[in-house]
Amino acid sequence: LHFMSADSWPYIIRLTEMSGLSGKEMEAFRHRLKVVQEIYSDRVAKRPELPWDDDWFRRCEYTVDWETGKWEVVDPPHAQL
């Protein structure tokens, strides 16, 4: 999935649909995956361009309210924003 980039998310949905998940369970899965995608996008945006740069983004702490889909991130002290 890593090499599929942005195509990963629809692919995960399609595989899950093919597994037979449907109805409320599928909607709950879609909701959760949307939150995971948002958090992943946030993390990717913080990643440095060069692999040897500071990896402060790995020390970010995320908290999620899965029911509402709201999440927060606390960047580590001295983060290179």
Side-chain angles (χ1 to χ4, degrees), residues 1 4-5 7-19 26 29 33 36:
L1 292 176
M4 294 179 67
S5 189
D7 294 332
S8 297
W9 308 107
Y11 183 68
I12 291 169
I13 293 292
R14 181 70 183 124
L15 285 178
T16 305
E17 289 171 341
M18 290 172 61
S19 77
M26 186 62 189
F29 178 78
L33 190 63
V36 170

Side-chain angles (χ1 to χ4, degrees), residues 36-75:
V36 170
Q37 183 178 3
E38 290 173 6
I39 293 170
Y40 175 79
S41 295
D42 183 71
R43 193 213 45 94
V44 167
K46 292 176 175 167
R47 184 181 63 210
E49 288 187 34
L50 301 174
W52 51 82
D53 283 344
D54 186 11
D55 68 346
W56 66 268
F57 71 99
R58 296 180 189 274
R59 295 182 298 280
C60 293
E61 294 185 22
Y62 292 87
T63 55
V64 180
D65 180 335
W66 293 106
E67 283 190 31
T68 65
K70 297 194 184 300
W71 56 273
E72 295 179 355
V73 60
V74 175
D75 293 331

